[in-house]
Amino acid sequence: MSLFTVIDVKSEKRTQFIDITASVRECLAGSGVSEGVAVIFVPHTTAGITINENADPSVPGDIIAGLARLVPESGDYQHAEGNSDAHIKASLMGSSVTVIIKEGQLLLGTWQGIFFCEFDGPRKRKAWLNITAA
Amino acid sequence: MSLFTVIDVKSEKRTQFIDITASVRECLAGSGVSEGVAVIFVPHTTAGITINENADPSVPGDIIAGLARLVPESGDYQHAEGNSDAHIKASLMGSSVTVIIKEGQLLLGTWQGIFFCEFDGPRKRKAWLNITAA
Amino acid sequence: MSLFTVIDVKSEKRTQFIDITASVRECLAGSGVSEGVAVIFVPHTTAGITINENADPSVPGDIIAGLARLVPESGDYQHAEGNSDAHIKASLMGSSVTVIIKEGQLLLGTWQGIFFCEFDGPRKRKAWLNITAA
């Protein structure tokens, strides 16, 4: 059994990490699935997804700043749309995360949250959630 | 139900992103699976895999150049084979991608393609595709 | 069918890659699962997981050194705990790896091993292994 849900995401800055953990948990609760795996996939090429600390907002802030130091917005890029840094950062973070489901719960560590990583906003975006029951 | 397929990849440069989306789609069509998940895994340590834009070839080109700036081919490396940069880039991109299958289709965003990331070619390589029906 | 196991990891340095391939193989052998997928998930925000060469120990050493050059321990970070570099490196490596299971074997390439990536040790850590039979 497999359940597919679209999670709407609205970014308000060019670069922004948006915590979507609560949305994923809500979909899982509604699914009735108790054991399995959740895949959260980002169908964009200038946005990614990562799991990191969502307790102190300075953590996603430091990740954003660290990525900006590594991959500058302006550079010797060939792609004409001016967002090559966003494409590179999307691949560094990855296009999906996989989370184990156990006893109906999303199995995350104490400090972990799931962040949609906007690198070329502000935009209306989507994350795709697929819950597979074991 | 689970279906395993080997996708052959032939790189022609030291560093090259090779679009394998069509091969994955073809295997999926042949599998008859309508709902589930596809895992594409790269069994090499100097190659990785990523999902990014496959419409404008300057996008993978900019990712390759961006990674080369971050991880130079020559450096203060200990590994004697002269390809430490390729190992580092492989871990930055990752060894697998996971894509949702829905109504018999590989669920990718409009601009997304699956790239085998060669970092130590030219070589004959493989990607392993595992399709699991939900 | 799905089987969940906790793998205990003990790091002895601030930054250390610990090969957990044998532990994963042992759990798989005990599970009796012959076809499916293994997800290994790290429930920490200053540790990650990656697949790379485990034959020559200079390879994980070069990856650690390469990441240290990219993300210095001291920098203009906002997070007050002094481990922002560890959070950034965790997201660069990722929080999980997915490995295909075939004929009862963990399907890794000849040179591949699974490394728990400690970035803020020494600590007692955990990796979560979820084996799903197809």
Side-chain angles (χ1 to χ4, degrees):
Chain A
M1 199 274 279
S2 159
L3 188 91
F4 178 78
T5 316
V6 177
I7 296 173
D8 289 302
V9 177
K10 196 175 175 301
S11 62
E12 285 159 8
K13 300 181 185 174
R14 182 165 194 268
T15 307
Q16 185 183 5
F17 278 24
I18 298 166
D19 187 347
I20 60 169
T21 319
S23 301
V24 176
R25 285 217 165 94
E26 192 181 332
C27 294
L28 174 58
S31 75
V33 170
S34 65
E35 315 285 314
V37 167
V39 171
I40 305 105
F41 182 94
V42 167
H44 309 287
T45 58
T46 53
I49 189 162
T50 196
I51 291 176
N52 215 298
E53 181 180 329
N54 66 352
D56 177 357
S58 70
V59 171
D62 281 346
I63 300 173
I64 287 171
L67 289 172
R69 275 190 297 272
L70 292 177
V71 188
E73 185 176 340
S74 297
D76 185 21
Y77 300 120
Q78 299 303 309
H79 184 51
E81 293 184 26
N83 58 2
S84 288
D85 66 314
H87 286 286
I88 299 170
K89 291 170 185 171
S91 275
L92 287 173
M93 291 298 96
S95 54
S96 72
V97 293
T98 300
V99 185
I100 301 163
I101 298 164
K102 200 170 179 297
E103 298 173 6
Q105 302 299 314
L106 201 65
L107 225 60
L108 290 171
T110 313
W111 305 104
Q112 287 182 317
I114 304 168
F115 288 100
F116 181 97
C117 308
E118 174 65 80
F119 294 121
D120 193 30
R123 293 208 207 186
K124 288 186 182 174
R125 299 287 209 173
K126 291 185 187 307
W128 293 339
L129 167 64
N130 201 63
I131 295 172
T132 308
Chain B
M1 199 274 278
S2 159
L3 188 91
F4 178 79
T5 315
V6 176
I7 296 172
D8 289 301
V9 178
K10 197 174 174 304
S11 62
E12 285 159 8
K13 300 181 184 172
R14 182 165 194 269
T15 307
Q16 186 182 4
F17 278 24
I18 297 166
D19 187 345
I20 60 169
T21 318
S23 301
V24 176
R25 285 217 166 94
E26 194 182 332
C27 295
L28 174 58
S31 76
V33 169
S34 66
E35 314 285 314
V37 166
V39 172
I40 305 107
F41 182 94
V42 167
H44 309 288
T45 58
T46 53
I49 189 163
T50 197
I51 291 175
N52 216 298
E53 180 179 329
N54 67 352
D56 177 357
S58 70
V59 171
D62 281 345
I63 301 174
I64 287 170
L67 289 172
R69 276 191 295 271
L70 291 177
V71 188
E73 185 176 340
S74 297
D76 184 22
Y77 300 121
Q78 299 303 310
H79 184 51
E81 293 184 26
N83 59 0
S84 287
D85 65 313
H87 287 286
I88 298 170
K89 290 169 186 171
S91 276
L92 286 174
M93 291 298 97
S95 54
S96 72
V97 293
T98 300
V99 185
I100 302 164
I101 298 164
K102 198 167 179 300
E103 297 171 7
Q105 302 299 312
L106 201 64
L107 225 57
L108 290 171
T110 312
W111 306 104
Q112 288 182 317
I114 303 169
F115 289 99
F116 181 97
C117 309
E118 174 65 80
F119 294 121
D120 193 30
R123 295 205 205 188
K124 289 186 180 173
R125 300 286 210 173
K126 292 185 186 308
W128 292 340
L129 167 62
N130 201 63
I131 295 172
T132 308
Chain C
M1 199 274 278
S2 159
L3 189 91
F4 177 79
T5 315
V6 176
I7 296 172
D8 290 302
V9 178
K10 196 174 175 301
S11 62
E12 284 159 8
K13 299 180 184 172
R14 181 164 195 270
T15 306
Q16 185 182 5
F17 278 25
I18 298 166
D19 186 346
I20 60 169
T21 318
S23 300
V24 175
R25 284 218 166 93
E26 192 181 333
C27 295
L28 174 59
S31 76
V33 170
S34 66
E35 314 286 314
V37 166
V39 172
I40 305 105
F41 182 94
V42 167
H44 309 288
T45 58
T46 53
I49 188 161
T50 197
I51 290 175
N52 216 299
E53 180 180 328
N54 66 353
D56 177 357
S58 70
V59 171
D62 281 347
I63 301 173
I64 288 171
L67 290 172
R69 275 191 297 271
L70 291 178
V71 188
E73 185 176 341
S74 297
D76 185 21
Y77 299 121
Q78 299 303 309
H79 184 50
E81 293 183 27
N83 58 1
S84 288
D85 66 314
H87 287 286
I88 298 169
K89 291 170 185 169
S91 276
L92 287 173
M93 292 296 97
S95 54
S96 72
V97 293
T98 300
V99 186
I100 301 164
I101 298 164
K102 199 167 179 298
E103 297 171 7
Q105 302 299 314
L106 201 65
L107 224 59
L108 291 170
T110 312
W111 305 104
Q112 287 182 317
I114 303 168
F115 289 100
F116 181 97
C117 308
E118 174 66 80
F119 294 121
D120 193 30
R123 296 208 206 186
K124 289 186 181 172
R125 300 287 209 172
K126 291 185 187 308
W128 293 340
L129 167 63
N130 202 63
I131 295 172
T132 308

